[in-house]
Amino acid sequence: YVKVPVGTPLGSQKVGVIGTQTRYTTVEITGAPVTVTPTTGVDGQEVTISGSGFGAGVAIATITVGGVSVTNLSSGGLATTNAVTTVSADNSGNLTASFLLPNDAVLRTAGDHKIIVTVGTGSDARTGEVHVTVPGRTMTLDTASSKRGSTVTATGTGFKAKASITIAYTNSGSSAVTVGTSTADALGNWTGTFVVPTTAAIPSSNTVTGTAASGSSKTATHALPGATISSDLTEQSTGE
């Protein structure tokens, strides 16, 4: 038989028998079953992993998300001072742990990110993995065009959970001006209003930027139309 080394990546792996002739086959390396709730999240959002098939009474050694280490557990959406290593599997090999997705550039990149849970060390170690999906950030305005001094509502999704949001308005050829603030909820969604600067050029196409305290941001375009003149007269004589 072949003993699979601890730390072997999960999935399909090549096994070779080397002698006077070499033969290869593949073997599917499976880990302990692990699930994550919710399956979609942003940096700073709380998720809960549940696993089974681990060693009874064996403690978590490490948790990583997208290669970024998770240090502490969370409760009620807030980080605690309790280390993830304080969680152990019960007598049936089951465990549950909640933590915040790391505030890291990796977790601000849209796509699937692998959560790897390692329970135990050395020859007693067993690994389980599951994917969490980070959504792409969006920002929209309730109107793409309006006048100076008008109020515009901006809506963002996929930002850092509970982050302070700064809304800035950049007029063509000018520096950005902070025009509003907001706060993202526990899922990274936010809504805020701002007043279009009275100094913005007419006509112009301008950039509105929503930036989270973590550094993640998204932009939208807002236009100030040029002046128009209209008349209900189609024909008139001179002097009338």
Side-chain angles (χ1 to χ4, degrees):
Y1 68 92
V2 175
K3 184 176 181 179
V4 179
V6 174
T8 300
L10 304 184
S12 183
Q13 303 295 334
K14 182 186 289 186
V15 177
V17 178
I18 301 174
T20 55
Q21 291 185 328
T22 301
R23 295 289 186 269
Y24 290 98
T25 187
T26 57
V27 61
E28 192 71 19
I29 307 300
T30 59
V34 175
T35 61
V36 61
T37 305
T39 57
T40 299
V42 297
D43 56 318
Q45 181 177 337
E46 183 176 75
V47 297
T48 299
I49 57 167
S50 299
S52 60
F54 295 103
V58 180
I60 291 176
T62 61
I63 298 177
T64 61
V65 184
V68 181
S69 295
V70 175
T71 303
N72 293 332
L73 300 170
S74 66
S75 178
L78 299 175
T80 71
T81 57
N82 299 320
V84 296
T85 53
T86 60
V87 175
S88 297
D90 62 19
N91 290 335
S92 298
N94 305 317
L95 60 77
T96 299
S98 297
F99 56 88
L100 304 184
L101 293 177
N103 179 19
D104 189 275
V106 171
L107 275 301
R108 293 194 287 273
T109 303
D112 291 337
H113 298 273
K114 187 181 296 184
I115 299 175
I116 299 178
V117 185
T118 301
V119 176
T121 58
S123 60
D124 293 327
R126 188 160 192 207
T127 298
E129 62 182 47
V130 65
H131 285 86
V132 64
T133 301
V134 174
R137 283 184 298 280
T138 69
M139 190 175 81
T140 58
L141 306 178
D142 67 340
T143 177
S145 177
S146 61
K147 300 177 181 180
R148 289 174 172 174
S150 61
T151 299
V152 178
T153 298
T155 301
T157 66
F159 284 70
K160 182 182 185 301
K162 300 182 180 181
S164 298
I165 306 295
T166 300
I167 305 172
Y169 195 93
T170 306
N171 188 220
S172 300
S174 301
S175 300
V177 177
T178 298
V179 290
T181 59
S182 184
T183 302
D185 63 17
L187 302 180
N189 305 319
W190 59 271
T191 297
T193 60
F194 66 90
V195 175
V196 178
T198 56
T199 55
I202 300 176
S204 60
S205 178
N206 310 294
T207 301
V208 180
T209 305
T211 303
S214 64
S216 57
S217 64
K218 192 66 177 178
T219 62
T221 300
H222 180 264
L224 271 72
T228 60
I229 299 176
S230 61
S231 173
D232 60 357
L233 298 176
T234 58
E235 183 177 343
Q236 185 64 275
S237 300
T238 302
E240 296 185 354

